Amino acid sequence: MNTIGWPNFRSVNQEGIVFAIAVVLFVAAAIGLPGFIDANNLVAIVRSVSVLGILALGMAVVIIGRGIDLSAVAIMAMSVAWYLQLLNSGTPDGLAFAYVLAGVLAIGLLNGFLVAYADVPAIFVTLATGSFVFGYVRSQLITQDAVPVPQGHWVELLGGLRFLDIPIEVFVFAGLAFLFFLFLRYTKWGRYIYFAGDNPVAARNIGIPVRPMLVLRYVLSAFVALIAGLLTAASLHSINTRVVNSTLLYDIVLVAVIGGIGLSGGRGGVRNVLVGAALIGILLNAMTIVDIPLLYQNLIKAAILLGAIIVDGIINPRDEQTAQQGDI
């Protein structure tokens, strides 16, 4: 009950507000920044957020279920780096990909098992597995930070694919977004994620397999991270493992949270990811054109993320069950 005169923040549509801000920012940039509405620049904006958006889709599914995956970037970079290292060492393509896919799924299963069955808070599990994946792969499985794509390999060819002069990763992002939308909206497994995220105790009491579904979410996140890594390597013709220590992970959380995915679980969807990705893509592109130093860009993004978390805490207040699951 609102007894002290505060406005009813729960009625605020965060998604609508963020979309309106994105539109205003786009119009302002189109008017004030030379070259912003150039066709090549608009394609660059969409391309720049495609991999980020793909990672945010995996993160969104985990967050909707009251979790978080801090290992996503490490899985993305290190799995593809290992794959490329195997190829450059002469390992047959099919066997190399099978090794990497098995490793990625194993990390996803490990994350899910420790969170679901060992009751370890997700933030600690995924932070630890991300650090382990980075350290083990870098020290034992690859020989350098940047691993190139073998010349003529299908990953290199993938990076050159365009339809209507639009890079392939944009279409992959759109396709995955559509598949995730169908999964969350029209399958019982997708609805289970919302039920478990909204009230895991009640979901378990009515017979929903809460723990197996939790494991599934982390496996999905890991698999999506592999796809994002392959697209990154295709675009750059290499993968640089130093991205693990960049701000990419915070950008992923920023896209999900600012778009309206509630950190308390049970709220949000693909549309929120698309809105968040649109705003961040426009913002980053505008800051680049203005030539704002990277240090200050990171500062601005950090301030936006902090503000989004505060707003989320007001709109989607934590309850006792959320607190028992561990702080995100």
Side-chain angles (χ1 to χ4, degrees):
M1 181 181 297
N2 188 354
T3 60
I4 58 175
W6 291 106
N8 187 7
F9 286 107
R10 293 195 197 186
S11 65
V12 176
N13 186 334
Q14 182 178 342
E15 176 192 343
I17 293 174
V18 171
F19 180 74
I21 293 173
V23 171
V24 171
L25 182 60
F26 181 88
V27 172
I31 295 173
L33 298 179
F36 180 81
I37 58 174
D38 181 77
N40 291 331
N41 187 62
L42 295 180
V43 170
I45 293 176
V46 179
R47 185 176 192 176
S48 68
V49 300
S50 294
V51 171
L52 178 61
I54 290 171
L55 290 165
L57 287 172
M59 183 70 76
V61 170
V62 174
I63 293 178
I64 290 171
R66 291 199 181 196
I68 197 165
D69 187 359
L70 302 183
S71 65
V73 176
I75 293 173
M76 178 199 81
M78 307 315 292
S79 63
V80 175
W82 181 31
Y83 176 52
L84 298 180
Q85 182 69 49
L86 288 172
L87 293 176
N88 288 317
S89 301
T91 304
D93 194 357
L95 185 59
F97 190 78
Y99 284 155
V100 171
L101 180 60
V104 166
L105 297 181
I107 294 298
L109 286 170
L110 178 63
N111 282 337
F113 177 82
L114 291 176
V115 175
Y117 293 96
D119 292 325
V120 183
I123 190 170
F124 300 127
V125 169
T126 57
L127 181 63
T129 55
S131 297
F132 173 80
V133 167
F134 174 73
Y136 182 78
V137 173
R138 181 62 186 87
S139 64
Q140 303 297 320
L141 301 179
I142 64 176
T143 59
Q144 56 190 2
D145 288 329
V147 185
V149 176
Q151 188 173 5
H153 188 262
W154 67 265
V155 172
E156 182 183 53
L157 300 178
L158 180 67
L161 288 180
R162 286 175 174 262
F163 298 98
L164 302 176
D165 206 32
I166 299 175
I168 187 64
E169 52 260 47
V170 177
F171 293 98
V172 175
F173 176 35
L176 285 175
F178 182 66
L179 290 176
F180 270 75
F181 169 76
L182 294 178
F183 172 71
L184 290 172
R185 179 64 67 88
Y186 295 109
T187 70
K188 67 177 182 179
W189 304 106
R191 292 191 291 272
Y192 286 171
I193 291 175
Y194 284 101
F195 293 152
D198 186 58
N199 192 325
V201 175
R204 186 177 296 113
N205 289 340
I206 64 175
I208 291 176
V210 173
R211 288 179 174 173
M213 285 303 303
L214 199 158
V215 175
L216 174 63
R217 293 196 292 274
Y218 285 97
V219 171
L220 277 176
S221 179
F223 182 68
V224 167
L226 173 60
I227 295 175
L230 290 171
L231 289 173
T232 300
S235 174
L236 302 176
H237 293 179
S238 68
I239 191 76
N240 193 328
T241 59
R242 293 183 180 180
V243 71
V244 177
N245 298 317
S246 71
T247 61
L248 179 58
L249 179 61
Y250 306 104
D251 292 344
I252 298 167
V253 177
L254 176 59
V255 166
V257 175
I258 200 173
I261 305 290
L263 287 173
S264 59
R267 297 174 179 84
V270 171
R271 194 169 59 187
N272 301 93
V273 173
L274 298 178
V275 170
L279 176 60
I280 297 305
I282 295 169
L283 177 65
L284 293 180
N285 186 265
M287 289 193 297
T288 301
I289 293 176
V290 176
D291 199 23
I292 296 177
L294 183 60
L295 178 64
Y296 291 103
Q297 290 189 30
N298 291 335
L299 181 61
I300 292 171
K301 289 189 295 182
I304 294 173
L305 177 59
L306 179 60
I309 291 174
I310 293 172
V311 170
D312 175 75
I314 296 172
I315 297 176
N316 305 306
R318 293 159 55 85
D319 56 21
E320 182 179 354
Q321 291 176 7
T322 307
Q324 289 175 350
Q325 298 233 339
D327 290 329
I328 295 179

